[in-house]
Amino acid sequence: MTFSASLDKALYLTLENGCKSLRFDGNSIQSAMHLDDPYSLALGYSQTMMGFLLFAPDPKQVLIVGLGGGSLPKYCYRYLPESKITTLEINEDVIALRHEFFIPDDNERFSIIQTDAVDYITHGRAEADVIMLDAYDDEGLPAVLATESYYDHCRMALSEKGVLVINLWGTDPKLNIYIERLKRVFNGRVWYCRAFNSYNVIVFASNDEHFKMNWIKLLFLASKLEARHDLDLQGIVRRLRAGLQYSLS
C-alpha cells in the first residue's frame, strides 16, 4: 500500500510497505516509523545518534531539538525509563502530527515544547545530561543552529559530564566548519562517524573535562548496553575508532 498526502508547502506524510514517513518536498525523508514497531528506530542516522549511550548510559535529562516524527523522543521515553525527555520544536504543524506517529502525550517524564530552540537554550532555560540536535527544515540545517555561539550555549546547558549529539549531512559543504567549531567549544573532545546506511555524519562532543577515549572499555560498555537496547553500539564504537573513511573537505 502506498499513500502520500501534502500537509503544507514543505511537509508530506507517506505510507508505504508498512512504514509511515514524514518527508520534505515529497522526497527527502525527515523521519520514519515501522507501523508494526512504532518505538523502534527505522533510520540508520537515528540509531547512530543513540551512540550517546556510550558517553552517558543513564542520563537523567535528555533534551532533543527537532521533533519530526518523534523517533528519538519515543525511543528514549520507552527504553530510558529513568530519564526525563524534553523536545523543542518550532513548527506547530509538525507537533500537530504527534498522534500520526504514536508520540506519547505530555506527562511528568515527557514533554514537547513549541519554541525557538536558539532562544530557549541561549537564555539558559535548558539543563540536560544529553542534548540531541536534529533540527532540519526543507532548506536544510538552519544556520542559527550551527554557530559557535549556539554550540557554546549547548555546552553550558549540559551537566558536567554531559554529551552533545548532532546529526549533520555528510554532503554539506560546511561540514568541516561545523566540526572545527565544536572542537574549539569542547576543547577537542569531539568524535564523529558516518551513520548506518546513510551519508549523515553523527558528531559526539563530551563536556567532561576528564573524559579519555578508551576503546577497549567502550567496546565492553557497548556489549553490556546491547542487552538493554536493540542497537549496534559496538558497531558505532568501531566506526568512531576508524573515523570517517572519506574526506570532509
Side-chain angles (χ1 to χ4, degrees):
M1 176 183 178
T2 302
F3 167 81
S4 178
S6 176
L7 304 170
D8 63 23
K9 66 178 181 179
L11 295 174
Y12 290 78
L13 193 65
T14 66
L15 179 62
E16 186 174 10
N17 299 324
C19 189
K20 183 179 288 187
S21 300
L22 183 65
R23 298 171 181 257
F24 293 133
D25 61 39
N27 185 30
S28 304
I29 295 179
Q30 199 282 338
S31 189
M33 176 186 72
H34 294 301
L35 293 177
D36 61 354
D37 191 4
Y39 280 85
S40 67
L41 297 172
L43 299 179
Y45 92 85
S46 56
Q47 296 169 22
T48 310
M49 288 190 78
M50 288 303 302
F52 78 73
L53 293 166
L54 299 166
F55 300 85
D58 298 295
K60 297 302 180 186
Q61 295 192 74
V62 177
L63 179 68
I64 302 170
V65 177
L67 175 64
S71 299
L72 288 166
K74 284 190 306 183
Y75 185 91
C76 291
Y77 182 64
R78 169 68 63 88
Y79 295 104
L80 296 173
E82 302 301 319
S83 301
K84 180 179 180 180
I85 316 301
T86 303
T87 304
L88 310 180
E89 172 59 54
I90 196 170
N91 190 336
E92 63 182 356
D93 293 327
V94 172
I95 297 174
L97 293 172
R98 66 188 299 167
H99 296 301
E100 289 281 351
F101 288 92
F102 303 155
I103 298 172
D105 293 329
D106 286 7
N107 56 52
E108 68 280 358
R109 281 190 52 236
F110 187 92
S111 62
I112 297 171
I113 302 173
Q114 184 187 356
T115 187
D116 182 326
V118 173
D119 178 73
Y120 189 93
I121 291 177
T122 58
H123 284 81
R125 285 176 280 178
E127 294 182 2
D129 301 301
V130 175
I131 298 177
M132 309 178 80
L133 302 185
D134 184 29
Y136 284 82
D137 56 29
D138 57 311
E139 296 182 357
L141 176 65
V144 293
L145 296 179
T147 66
E148 189 163 332
S149 174
Y150 182 64
Y151 289 154
D152 194 44
H153 279 95
C154 287
R155 180 192 59 79
M156 289 187 287
L158 286 169
S159 59
E160 183 179 352
K161 296 183 178 182
V163 59
L164 176 66
V165 190
I166 308 177
N167 173 35
L168 297 173
W169 282 347
T171 56
D172 191 324
K174 294 184 177 180
L175 180 59
N176 249 332
I177 294 174
Y178 301 149
I179 291 176
E180 289 305 313
R181 288 172 183 170
L182 286 162
K183 287 181 178 179
R184 286 193 294 270
V185 169
F186 286 87
N187 196 25
R189 297 184 301 276
V190 174
W191 298 266
Y192 50 90
C193 66
R194 183 179 289 179
F196 294 122
N197 305 315
S198 79
Y199 286 100
N200 296 55
V201 172
I202 308 303
V203 186
F204 303 89
S206 173
N207 202 33
D208 184 355
E209 294 182 359
H210 304 290
F211 183 85
K212 301 294 183 183
M213 185 63 80
N214 184 314
W215 298 110
I216 295 176
K217 288 185 178 179
L218 214 58
L219 277 171
F220 179 71
L221 175 60
S223 177
K224 288 180 61 178
L225 288 170
E226 285 175 354
R228 288 189 280 154
H229 298 274
D230 186 20
L231 299 167
D232 184 9
L233 293 167
Q234 294 181 73
I236 295 173
V237 174
R238 288 189 288 269
R239 283 168 178 259
L240 289 171
R241 186 175 186 179
L244 294 178
Q245 298 304 309
Y246 66 99
S247 174
L248 291 180
S249 59

